[in-house]
Every structure is written in structure tokens, then in C-alpha cells.
Amino acid sequence: MATFVGTTPGGTTPAGMTSAGTTPESEKDAEFQEHEKILSPDFLSVAQITEMLAEDVDGVQQKLEKFLNFKNLQTCLKEASLLDYYVSGFLWAKGMDFSVIQYSKFMTLLDMLLHNLRTLHMSLEDSIKWLGEVMAEIGPSHKNEKWNIFDVKQASAIVDYLKISLFQHYKLYEFLFFSAREEIVIGTEQLIEVVNPADHPFPDPLEEGISFDIYSTFIEPPPPLDMEIKGLNQEQGPGESQPEADTSETDLLVGFTIEEIKSVLDQVTDDILISIQTEINEKLQIQEEAFNARIEKLKKA
């Protein structure tokens, strides 16, 4: 504002005074104070930034978790997302070799952008306009070079970073702050089934999952010979067993060749195995239907 000499109610205005009665020095002080208000107060103190600069990635995350007082990172999606936002920003700034003042202003810029979204409900367009105004004050385009915190290259890099970190995912951050999330509790009933007894005709439960054919052929012991003979006697009927009582001391296998005995035993064994296999298949089918019904219930839940 140009200075001039004029009349005032008390006389003349001294040279070096403006029409409002202020000196250029007071105007500069007011402008400096106004500039100092930009991105204030600082999001992180100089001491906190200095501590974090001495840490690795995990250390930076732990320090920010402490500074931001986040206590539910394992269960709170909002806290985890915000911590990732600030940690990523600080590590990016660390790669840019910023000074401590530049770290402070950049982290405050990140926080103010989220503050505008969370409290002022700024749209994406308004946030971009606000960023342009702030960068005009602290960037290379400011008329007072002493107040330029970032040079042209750094300012361009900051805008590019915000474009891919915040602005590209702006809808997700809006959802994070303004959309209520339901706590879904998923539960299911657990039924404990007892293994069938290991008595015949059920084979012992095997972890290897051996099929019944292999088990019955190579593992299961053959039935005793006296059981097969009793089975033959039952098939012959009570009328045919009467003569055997009279000749109990005679050999029961007299009159049979070895081939005939083997043939009869094979036939009896096959009949027993077929009946056992049929019964097992029926039980397996029943269990399979029960499991399918449970799976359908879980899908509906």
C-alpha cells in the first residue's frame, strides 16, 4: 500500500503512515502473523518428528500409534486405516529428505485434509481447491520468497503424492468416516459325533482312510472255521442236524473233497462280505446326506 501525506482531524498525516494510520512495519508484522496461522497448529512437534526420524518403519508406526493414542488397532478399522495413512505419508516425506520444518508442515497438511473431510464434509473438488490455496501460501508461488517452505519440485511431488494417496481413494475415506458398519457375529452349532464301536462288522477307524475292500482283504482277520460250520448247519435246517447228534463222534467233513470245502467257504465268505459292504454303504450314504444338510444350513446362515 502506497504511503501518502494528507490531512487528518488532528492535523497532517505523517510521512510513512497509511490512510488507516498503520506503518509498513506493522503491515508486515500483520502479514507475517497471518502467514504463521497457515497449517497451524502443527500436527507433530519438532521433538516428535526428531524421534521418528531415528526409527525404522516399525519404529515409526509404533511412535505414531503412541502419539495418536490409538489403542484398538487390532479391532478398529478406522484407527488402522488412519495409522496407515500417516505412516505412509511420513515415510514418503522421509524419502524426500525434507527438513524438520518441511516434515512438520507436510504432516499438518495431511491431517488438515482429513480434518476438512471429517468435520467440514468437504467434497473432493473443494479439497483440491483448498490444497491449491494452501500451496500458494507455502509453496514457490508466494510473493515473499522467505516464506517459501517448499520449492517447485517439492510442491509438485506433494501434489502428486496426495493425488495417489488421498484423492484417488477419497470415496473410501468418506465411507470410513460417514458410513456406519454393522458388527456381524458369525456363529455355528458344532455337533460331536462318536465313532462307531470297533466291533465286527465295523472296521477300526483309521486315519489313513483305507478303503473297506483293502481292509477286508489284507487287514481284517478271517472268520474262525467253527463259525462257518455253524453257518452251514443253520442253512441245512433242524431236520438235517438230527443225524449229527447220533454221530457226534464222526468227522463232519467226511465225504467232502478239499475243493468242495474251499468252494463252500468262498461262497459263505462272499455272502458275508457283500452283506457287510451293503450295510456300510447304506450308513455312509446316511452320513453323507446329514453332512450335506449341515452344509446347506451353514450357507443359509
Side-chain angles (χ1 to χ4, degrees):
M1 185 178 294
T3 60
F4 62 93
V5 179
T7 59
T8 63
T12 60
T13 303
M17 295 288 291
T18 63
S19 58
T22 59
T23 62
E25 289 76 10
S26 62
E27 287 184 355
K28 290 181 180 179
D29 291 340
E31 188 176 359
F32 177 77
Q33 292 175 1
E34 189 69 22
H35 182 268
E36 285 295 309
K37 293 180 180 178
I38 299 174
L39 296 181
S40 295
D42 293 333
F43 176 64
L44 294 174
S45 66
V46 174
Q48 290 174 334
I49 293 174
T50 305
E51 286 185 34
M52 293 168 58
L53 287 175
E55 301 288 344
D56 56 5
V57 177
D58 295 333
V60 170
Q61 180 171 333
Q62 292 174 2
K63 289 291 184 182
L64 274 174
E65 180 181 348
K66 177 182 177 182
F67 296 154
L68 300 176
N69 196 27
F70 287 162
K71 300 184 180 298
N72 301 311
L73 289 175
Q74 302 299 324
T75 57
C76 181
L77 176 63
K78 181 182 292 185
E79 288 190 1
S81 301
L82 293 178
L83 181 63
D84 179 75
Y85 173 78
Y86 290 119
V87 170
S88 300
F90 186 87
L91 295 177
W92 177 86
K94 194 173 183 180
M96 294 293 294
D97 292 329
F98 284 167
S99 65
V100 176
I101 298 300
Q102 289 173 331
Y103 272 109
S104 177
K105 293 302 180 184
F106 176 70
M107 295 302 295
T108 305
L109 177 63
L110 294 181
D111 182 63
M112 287 300 297
L113 285 168
L114 282 188
H115 172 78
N116 294 339
L117 170 60
R118 180 173 58 247
T119 60
L120 304 180
H121 294 233
M122 268 194 183
S123 64
L124 176 59
E125 294 77 9
D126 293 336
S127 291
I128 294 174
K129 291 179 182 178
W130 182 87
L131 176 64
E133 295 173 358
V134 172
M135 295 305 296
E137 293 293 331
I138 64 176
S141 61
H142 196 277
K143 58 186 178 180
N144 192 336
E145 295 182 359
K146 295 181 180 179
W147 295 344
N148 293 345
I149 299 177
F150 301 104
D151 57 25
V152 176
K153 184 178 178 181
Q154 291 171 337
S156 177
I158 289 174
V159 172
D160 291 339
Y161 174 77
L162 291 174
K163 185 188 303 181
I164 63 174
S165 62
L166 175 62
F167 295 151
Q168 186 175 343
H169 308 290
Y170 206 78
K171 290 292 183 182
L172 294 178
Y173 284 99
E174 287 180 336
F175 179 83
L176 182 69
F177 290 122
F178 306 129
S179 298
R181 289 171 297 280
E182 297 181 358
E183 295 183 2
I184 301 176
V185 180
I186 300 177
T188 181
E189 245 181 66
Q190 293 184 351
L191 299 179
I192 300 176
E193 296 186 359
V194 182
V195 179
N196 291 327
D199 299 331
H200 192 79
F202 298 104
D204 296 334
L206 301 177
E207 294 181 356
E208 295 83 359
I210 298 176
S211 65
F212 178 76
D213 295 335
I214 297 176
Y215 179 85
S216 60
T217 304
F218 301 104
I219 299 178
E220 184 182 28
L225 185 62
D226 56 348
M227 292 181 61
E228 297 181 1
I229 295 174
K230 289 180 180 179
L232 288 175
N233 292 337
Q234 291 176 358
E235 291 180 359
Q236 291 176 356
E240 299 177 0
S241 60
Q242 185 65 30
E244 296 178 359
D246 299 336
T247 59
S248 59
E249 296 182 358
T250 61
D251 191 355
L252 298 176
L253 300 179
V254 174
F256 294 98
T257 63
I258 296 177
E259 289 75 10
E260 291 174 343
I261 294 174
K262 287 183 177 181
S263 176
V264 172
L265 292 177
D266 290 341
Q267 182 180 359
V268 173
T269 304
D270 291 341
D271 293 340
I272 294 174
L273 291 178
I274 290 173
S275 62
I276 293 174
Q277 188 171 4
T278 302
E279 185 177 356
I280 290 177
N281 290 335
E282 291 176 355
K283 292 182 178 295
L284 289 176
Q285 185 176 2
I286 294 173
Q287 291 182 354
E288 183 179 0
E289 292 175 355
F291 283 134
N292 290 334
R294 292 174 191 165
I295 292 173
E296 292 297 327
K297 288 183 180 179
L298 292 176
K299 288 181 178 179
K300 292 179 180 179

PDB file of all heavy atoms in Angstrom, residues 3-5 12 39 49 68 75 86 91 99 107 121 124-125 141 144 166 175 186 198 204 228 231 238 255 261 284:
ATOM      1  N   THR A   3       2.316   5.007   0.525  1.00  0.00           N
ATOM      2  CA  THR A   3       2.212   5.997   1.596  1.00  0.00           C
ATOM      3  C   THR A   3       1.889   7.350   0.991  1.00  0.00           C
ATOM      4  O   THR A   3       2.194   7.629  -0.169  1.00  0.00           O
ATOM      5  CB  THR A   3       3.534   6.086   2.366  1.00  0.00           C
ATOM      6  OG1 THR A   3       4.567   6.463   1.461  1.00  0.00           O
ATOM      7  CG2 THR A   3       3.877   4.739   2.991  1.00  0.00           C
ATOM      8  N   PHE A   4       1.231   8.147   1.775  1.00  0.00           N
ATOM      9  CA  PHE A   4       0.908   9.488   1.288  1.00  0.00           C
ATOM     10  C   PHE A   4       0.796  10.435   2.471  1.00  0.00           C
ATOM     11  O   PHE A   4       0.682  10.005   3.611  1.00  0.00           O
ATOM     12  CB  PHE A   4      -0.410   9.481   0.496  1.00  0.00           C
ATOM     13  CG  PHE A   4      -1.602   9.079   1.309  1.00  0.00           C
ATOM     14  CD1 PHE A   4      -2.389  10.050   1.941  1.00  0.00           C
ATOM     15  CD2 PHE A   4      -1.934   7.748   1.469  1.00  0.00           C
ATOM     16  CE1 PHE A   4      -3.476   9.680   2.698  1.00  0.00           C
ATOM     17  CE2 PHE A   4      -3.031   7.387   2.231  1.00  0.00           C
ATOM     18  CZ  PHE A   4      -3.807   8.346   2.838  1.00  0.00           C
ATOM     19  N   VAL A   5       0.814  11.757   2.167  1.00  0.00           N
ATOM     20  CA  VAL A   5       0.667  12.793   3.197  1.00  0.00           C
ATOM     21  C   VAL A   5      -0.656  13.479   2.983  1.00  0.00           C
ATOM     22  O   VAL A   5      -0.971  13.936   1.890  1.00  0.00           O
ATOM     23  CB  VAL A   5       1.808  13.832   3.118  1.00  0.00           C
ATOM     24  CG1 VAL A   5       1.610  14.896   4.161  1.00  0.00           C
ATOM     25  CG2 VAL A   5       3.148  13.134   3.290  1.00  0.00           C
ATOM     26  N   THR A  12      -1.959  16.904  10.043  1.00  0.00           N
ATOM     27  CA  THR A  12      -1.477  16.183   8.872  1.00  0.00           C
ATOM     28  C   THR A  12      -1.054  14.784   9.260  1.00  0.00           C
ATOM     29  O   THR A  12      -0.623  14.530  10.383  1.00  0.00           O
ATOM     30  CB  THR A  12      -0.287  16.926   8.239  1.00  0.00           C
ATOM     31  OG1 THR A  12       0.746  17.007   9.203  1.00  0.00           O
ATOM     32  CG2 THR A  12      -0.698  18.320   7.795  1.00  0.00           C
ATOM     33  N   LEU A  39      -1.633 -23.707   8.258  1.00  0.00           N
ATOM     34  CA  LEU A  39      -1.267 -25.054   8.713  1.00  0.00           C
ATOM     35  C   LEU A  39      -0.792 -25.040  10.167  1.00  0.00           C
ATOM     36  O   LEU A  39       0.235 -25.621  10.519  1.00  0.00           O
ATOM     37  CB  LEU A  39      -0.189 -25.660   7.804  1.00  0.00           C
ATOM     38  CG  LEU A  39      -0.590 -25.906   6.351  1.00  0.00           C
ATOM     39  CD1 LEU A  39       0.560 -26.515   5.579  1.00  0.00           C
ATOM     40  CD2 LEU A  39      -1.813 -26.804   6.248  1.00  0.00           C
ATOM     41  N   ILE A  49       8.915 -35.351  15.700  1.00  0.00           N
ATOM     42  CA  ILE A  49       9.473 -35.630  14.373  1.00  0.00           C
ATOM     43  C   ILE A  49      10.920 -36.088  14.481  1.00  0.00           C
ATOM     44  O   ILE A  49      11.345 -37.033  13.798  1.00  0.00           O
ATOM     45  CB  ILE A  49       9.365 -34.377  13.482  1.00  0.00           C
ATOM     46  CG1 ILE A  49       7.893 -34.071  13.189  1.00  0.00           C
ATOM     47  CG2 ILE A  49      10.127 -34.561  12.175  1.00  0.00           C
ATOM     48  CD1 ILE A  49       7.669 -32.780  12.437  1.00  0.00           C
ATOM     49  N   LEU A  68      -0.702 -40.701  18.511  1.00  0.00           N
ATOM     50  CA  LEU A  68      -2.117 -40.551  18.160  1.00  0.00           C
ATOM     51  C   LEU A  68      -3.045 -41.237  19.157  1.00  0.00           C
ATOM     52  O   LEU A  68      -4.272 -41.150  19.015  1.00  0.00           O
ATOM     53  CB  LEU A  68      -2.362 -41.104  16.755  1.00  0.00           C
ATOM     54  CG  LEU A  68      -1.574 -40.433  15.623  1.00  0.00           C
ATOM     55  CD1 LEU A  68      -1.832 -41.132  14.303  1.00  0.00           C
ATOM     56  CD2 LEU A  68      -1.940 -38.962  15.523  1.00  0.00           C
ATOM     57  N   THR A  75      -8.759 -54.272  16.239  1.00  0.00           N
ATOM     58  CA  THR A  75     -10.198 -54.467  16.060  1.00  0.00           C
ATOM     59  C   THR A  75     -10.896 -53.285  15.400  1.00  0.00           C
ATOM     60  O   THR A  75     -12.035 -53.424  14.959  1.00  0.00           O
ATOM     61  CB  THR A  75     -10.868 -54.728  17.425  1.00  0.00           C
ATOM     62  OG1 THR A  75     -10.575 -53.631  18.313  1.00  0.00           O
ATOM     63  CG2 THR A  75     -10.349 -56.023  18.036  1.00  0.00           C
ATOM     64  N   TYR A  86      -1.033 -41.971   7.938  1.00  0.00           N
ATOM     65  CA  TYR A  86       0.023 -41.097   8.461  1.00  0.00           C
ATOM     66  C   TYR A  86       1.402 -41.732   8.323  1.00  0.00           C
ATOM     67  O   TYR A  86       2.380 -41.038   8.004  1.00  0.00           O
ATOM     68  CB  TYR A  86      -0.254 -40.765   9.925  1.00  0.00           C
ATOM     69  CG  TYR A  86      -1.445 -39.861  10.129  1.00  0.00           C
ATOM     70  CD1 TYR A  86      -2.544 -40.275  10.873  1.00  0.00           C
ATOM     71  CD2 TYR A  86      -1.488 -38.593   9.562  1.00  0.00           C
ATOM     72  CE1 TYR A  86      -3.640 -39.451  11.064  1.00  0.00           C
ATOM     73  CE2 TYR A  86      -2.586 -37.757   9.749  1.00  0.00           C
ATOM     74  CZ  TYR A  86      -3.655 -38.205  10.496  1.00  0.00           C
ATOM     75  OH  TYR A  86      -4.743 -37.380  10.672  1.00  0.00           O
ATOM     76  N   LEU A  91       6.798 -41.736   5.856  1.00  0.00           N
ATOM     77  CA  LEU A  91       7.862 -42.468   5.173  1.00  0.00           C
ATOM     78  C   LEU A  91       8.122 -41.905   3.782  1.00  0.00           C
ATOM     79  O   LEU A  91       9.263 -41.881   3.307  1.00  0.00           O
ATOM     80  CB  LEU A  91       7.496 -43.950   5.093  1.00  0.00           C
ATOM     81  CG  LEU A  91       7.414 -44.686   6.435  1.00  0.00           C
ATOM     82  CD1 LEU A  91       6.977 -46.126   6.230  1.00  0.00           C
ATOM     83  CD2 LEU A  91       8.760 -44.640   7.159  1.00  0.00           C
ATOM     84  N   SER A  99      13.363 -31.119   5.452  1.00  0.00           N
ATOM     85  CA  SER A  99      13.847 -30.574   6.721  1.00  0.00           C
ATOM     86  C   SER A  99      12.774 -30.792   7.788  1.00  0.00           C
ATOM     87  O   SER A  99      11.649 -31.195   7.487  1.00  0.00           O
ATOM     88  CB  SER A  99      14.157 -29.084   6.574  1.00  0.00           C
ATOM     89  OG  SER A  99      12.962 -28.363   6.304  1.00  0.00           O
ATOM     90  N   MET A 107       3.107 -33.018   7.370  1.00  0.00           N
ATOM     91  CA  MET A 107       2.245 -33.864   8.197  1.00  0.00           C
ATOM     92  C   MET A 107       1.002 -33.094   8.636  1.00  0.00           C
ATOM     93  O   MET A 107      -0.095 -33.662   8.730  1.00  0.00           O
ATOM     94  CB  MET A 107       3.011 -34.370   9.415  1.00  0.00           C
ATOM     95  CG  MET A 107       4.164 -35.301   9.088  1.00  0.00           C
ATOM     96  SD  MET A 107       3.660 -36.778   8.160  1.00  0.00           S
ATOM     97  CE  MET A 107       2.623 -37.602   9.362  1.00  0.00           C
ATOM     98  N   HIS A 121     -16.964 -31.892   5.960  1.00  0.00           N
ATOM     99  CA  HIS A 121     -17.601 -32.656   4.879  1.00  0.00           C
ATOM    100  C   HIS A 121     -17.230 -32.070   3.512  1.00  0.00           C
ATOM    101  O   HIS A 121     -18.074 -31.949   2.625  1.00  0.00           O
ATOM    102  CB  HIS A 121     -19.121 -32.679   5.041  1.00  0.00           C
ATOM    103  CG  HIS A 121     -19.580 -33.431   6.248  1.00  0.00           C
ATOM    104  ND1 HIS A 121     -20.515 -34.448   6.187  1.00  0.00           N
ATOM    105  CD2 HIS A 121     -19.238 -33.337   7.551  1.00  0.00           C
ATOM    106  CE1 HIS A 121     -20.722 -34.933   7.398  1.00  0.00           C
ATOM    107  NE2 HIS A 121     -19.960 -34.260   8.243  1.00  0.00           N
ATOM    108  N   LEU A 124     -14.496 -33.678  -2.852  1.00  0.00           N
ATOM    109  CA  LEU A 124     -13.186 -33.833  -3.476  1.00  0.00           C
ATOM    110  C   LEU A 124     -12.771 -32.550  -4.190  1.00  0.00           C
ATOM    111  O   LEU A 124     -11.600 -32.125  -4.095  1.00  0.00           O
ATOM    112  CB  LEU A 124     -13.227 -35.014  -4.460  1.00  0.00           C
ATOM    113  CG  LEU A 124     -11.955 -35.265  -5.267  1.00  0.00           C
ATOM    114  CD1 LEU A 124     -10.771 -35.539  -4.352  1.00  0.00           C
ATOM    115  CD2 LEU A 124     -12.166 -36.434  -6.226  1.00  0.00           C
ATOM    116  N   GLU A 125     -13.698 -31.908  -4.877  1.00  0.00           N
ATOM    117  CA  GLU A 125     -13.375 -30.669  -5.585  1.00  0.00           C
ATOM    118  C   GLU A 125     -12.952 -29.570  -4.615  1.00  0.00           C
ATOM    119  O   GLU A 125     -11.969 -28.847  -4.868  1.00  0.00           O
ATOM    120  CB  GLU A 125     -14.574 -30.212  -6.421  1.00  0.00           C
ATOM    121  CG  GLU A 125     -14.941 -31.137  -7.573  1.00  0.00           C
ATOM    122  CD  GLU A 125     -15.672 -32.382  -7.116  1.00  0.00           C
ATOM    123  OE1 GLU A 125     -16.044 -32.447  -5.914  1.00  0.00           O
ATOM    124  OE2 GLU A 125     -15.849 -33.308  -7.934  1.00  0.00           O
ATOM    125  N   SER A 141       5.123 -20.217  -5.248  1.00  0.00           N
ATOM    126  CA  SER A 141       4.434 -19.125  -5.922  1.00  0.00           C
ATOM    127  C   SER A 141       4.187 -17.928  -5.014  1.00  0.00           C
ATOM    128  O   SER A 141       3.636 -16.925  -5.453  1.00  0.00           O
ATOM    129  CB  SER A 141       3.088 -19.630  -6.472  1.00  0.00           C
ATOM    130  OG  SER A 141       2.263 -20.084  -5.418  1.00  0.00           O
ATOM    131  N   ASN A 144       6.610 -13.540  -1.281  1.00  0.00           N
ATOM    132  CA  ASN A 144       7.734 -13.364  -0.364  1.00  0.00           C
ATOM    133  C   ASN A 144       8.534 -14.662  -0.341  1.00  0.00           C
ATOM    134  O   ASN A 144       8.089 -15.671   0.197  1.00  0.00           O
ATOM    135  CB  ASN A 144       7.240 -13.022   1.039  1.00  0.00           C
ATOM    136  CG  ASN A 144       8.378 -12.550   1.946  1.00  0.00           C
ATOM    137  OD1 ASN A 144       9.539 -12.871   1.708  1.00  0.00           O
ATOM    138  ND2 ASN A 144       8.029 -11.783   2.966  1.00  0.00           N
ATOM    139  N   LEU A 166      -4.581 -39.900  -1.234  1.00  0.00           N
ATOM    140  CA  LEU A 166      -5.858 -39.479  -0.652  1.00  0.00           C
ATOM    141  C   LEU A 166      -6.927 -39.260  -1.711  1.00  0.00           C
ATOM    142  O   LEU A 166      -8.019 -39.837  -1.619  1.00  0.00           O
ATOM    143  CB  LEU A 166      -5.667 -38.204   0.166  1.00  0.00           C
ATOM    144  CG  LEU A 166      -6.946 -37.579   0.746  1.00  0.00           C
ATOM    145  CD1 LEU A 166      -7.606 -38.549   1.720  1.00  0.00           C
ATOM    146  CD2 LEU A 166      -6.646 -36.259   1.439  1.00  0.00           C
ATOM    147  N   PHE A 175     -16.443 -43.062   3.129  1.00  0.00           N
ATOM    148  CA  PHE A 175     -17.126 -44.223   3.694  1.00  0.00           C
ATOM    149  C   PHE A 175     -16.596 -44.534   5.090  1.00  0.00           C
ATOM    150  O   PHE A 175     -17.361 -44.911   5.996  1.00  0.00           O
ATOM    151  CB  PHE A 175     -16.917 -45.434   2.782  1.00  0.00           C
ATOM    152  CG  PHE A 175     -17.566 -46.695   3.280  1.00  0.00           C
ATOM    153  CD1 PHE A 175     -18.907 -46.941   3.049  1.00  0.00           C
ATOM    154  CD2 PHE A 175     -16.838 -47.631   3.990  1.00  0.00           C
ATOM    155  CE1 PHE A 175     -19.512 -48.096   3.522  1.00  0.00           C
ATOM    156  CE2 PHE A 175     -17.428 -48.789   4.467  1.00  0.00           C
ATOM    157  CZ  PHE A 175     -18.770 -49.016   4.227  1.00  0.00           C
ATOM    158  N   ILE A 186     -20.713 -64.155  13.402  1.00  0.00           N
ATOM    159  CA  ILE A 186     -20.962 -65.415  12.704  1.00  0.00           C
ATOM    160  C   ILE A 186     -20.779 -66.554  13.700  1.00  0.00           C
ATOM    161  O   ILE A 186     -19.716 -66.695  14.311  1.00  0.00           O
ATOM    162  CB  ILE A 186     -19.996 -65.579  11.518  1.00  0.00           C
ATOM    163  CG1 ILE A 186     -20.180 -64.420  10.533  1.00  0.00           C
ATOM    164  CG2 ILE A 186     -20.218 -66.915  10.828  1.00  0.00           C
ATOM    165  CD1 ILE A 186     -19.224 -64.454   9.383  1.00  0.00           C
ATOM    166  N   ALA A 198     -15.628-100.455  17.547  1.00  0.00           N
ATOM    167  CA  ALA A 198     -14.734-101.184  16.649  1.00  0.00           C
ATOM    168  C   ALA A 198     -15.070-102.665  16.568  1.00  0.00           C
ATOM    169  O   ALA A 198     -14.247-103.476  16.172  1.00  0.00           O
ATOM    170  CB  ALA A 198     -13.295-101.007  17.126  1.00  0.00           C
ATOM    171  N   ASP A 204     -11.884-100.956  12.444  1.00  0.00           N
ATOM    172  CA  ASP A 204     -11.348 -99.918  13.317  1.00  0.00           C
ATOM    173  C   ASP A 204     -11.176 -98.616  12.539  1.00  0.00           C
ATOM    174  O   ASP A 204     -10.813 -98.624  11.355  1.00  0.00           O
ATOM    175  CB  ASP A 204      -9.991-100.351  13.884  1.00  0.00           C
ATOM    176  CG  ASP A 204     -10.136-101.571  14.780  1.00  0.00           C
ATOM    177  OD1 ASP A 204     -11.236-101.745  15.318  1.00  0.00           O
ATOM    178  OD2 ASP A 204      -9.161-102.327  14.912  1.00  0.00           O
ATOM    179  N   GLU A 228     -18.010-120.704  10.495  1.00  0.00           N
ATOM    180  CA  GLU A 228     -18.505-121.080   9.171  1.00  0.00           C
ATOM    181  C   GLU A 228     -19.290-122.390   9.228  1.00  0.00           C
ATOM    182  O   GLU A 228     -20.315-122.551   8.548  1.00  0.00           O
ATOM    183  CB  GLU A 228     -17.333-121.193   8.211  1.00  0.00           C
ATOM    184  CG  GLU A 228     -16.592-119.880   8.010  1.00  0.00           C
ATOM    185  CD  GLU A 228     -15.444-120.043   7.024  1.00  0.00           C
ATOM    186  OE1 GLU A 228     -15.283-121.166   6.516  1.00  0.00           O
ATOM    187  OE2 GLU A 228     -14.742-119.046   6.785  1.00  0.00           O
ATOM    188  N   GLY A 231     -22.629-121.739  10.525  1.00  0.00           N
ATOM    189  CA  GLY A 231     -23.455-121.134   9.493  1.00  0.00           C
ATOM    190  C   GLY A 231     -23.985-122.175   8.526  1.00  0.00           C
ATOM    191  O   GLY A 231     -25.142-122.119   8.106  1.00  0.00           O
ATOM    192  N   PRO A 238     -33.084-127.718  10.914  1.00  0.00           N
ATOM    193  CA  PRO A 238     -33.095-128.612  12.089  1.00  0.00           C
ATOM    194  C   PRO A 238     -33.278-130.061  11.718  1.00  0.00           C
ATOM    195  O   PRO A 238     -32.829-130.951  12.422  1.00  0.00           O
ATOM    196  CB  PRO A 238     -34.288-128.094  12.902  1.00  0.00           C
ATOM    197  CG  PRO A 238     -35.173-127.400  11.902  1.00  0.00           C
ATOM    198  CD  PRO A 238     -34.244-126.824  10.858  1.00  0.00           C
ATOM    199  N   GLY A 255     -16.578-137.277   3.377  1.00  0.00           N
ATOM    200  CA  GLY A 255     -17.353-137.285   2.137  1.00  0.00           C
ATOM    201  C   GLY A 255     -17.188-136.022   1.312  1.00  0.00           C
ATOM    202  O   GLY A 255     -17.742-135.940   0.205  1.00  0.00           O
ATOM    203  N   ILE A 261     -14.900-128.126  -0.092  1.00  0.00           N
ATOM    204  CA  ILE A 261     -14.868-127.329   1.142  1.00  0.00           C
ATOM    205  C   ILE A 261     -14.458-125.898   0.832  1.00  0.00           C
ATOM    206  O   ILE A 261     -15.042-124.925   1.329  1.00  0.00           O
ATOM    207  CB  ILE A 261     -13.922-127.977   2.158  1.00  0.00           C
ATOM    208  CG1 ILE A 261     -14.463-129.342   2.614  1.00  0.00           C
ATOM    209  CG2 ILE A 261     -13.729-127.054   3.376  1.00  0.00           C
ATOM    210  CD1 ILE A 261     -13.529-130.110   3.517  1.00  0.00           C
ATOM    211  N   LEU A 284     -22.881 -95.002   5.131  1.00  0.00           N
ATOM    212  CA  LEU A 284     -22.128 -93.892   4.545  1.00  0.00           C
ATOM    213  C   LEU A 284     -23.047 -92.928   3.801  1.00  0.00           C
ATOM    214  O   LEU A 284     -22.867 -91.703   3.843  1.00  0.00           O
ATOM    215  CB  LEU A 284     -21.042 -94.425   3.599  1.00  0.00           C
ATOM    216  CG  LEU A 284     -19.854 -95.123   4.265  1.00  0.00           C
ATOM    217  CD1 LEU A 284     -18.915 -95.684   3.210  1.00  0.00           C
ATOM    218  CD2 LEU A 284     -19.110 -94.156   5.169  1.00  0.00           C
TER     219      LEU A 284
END
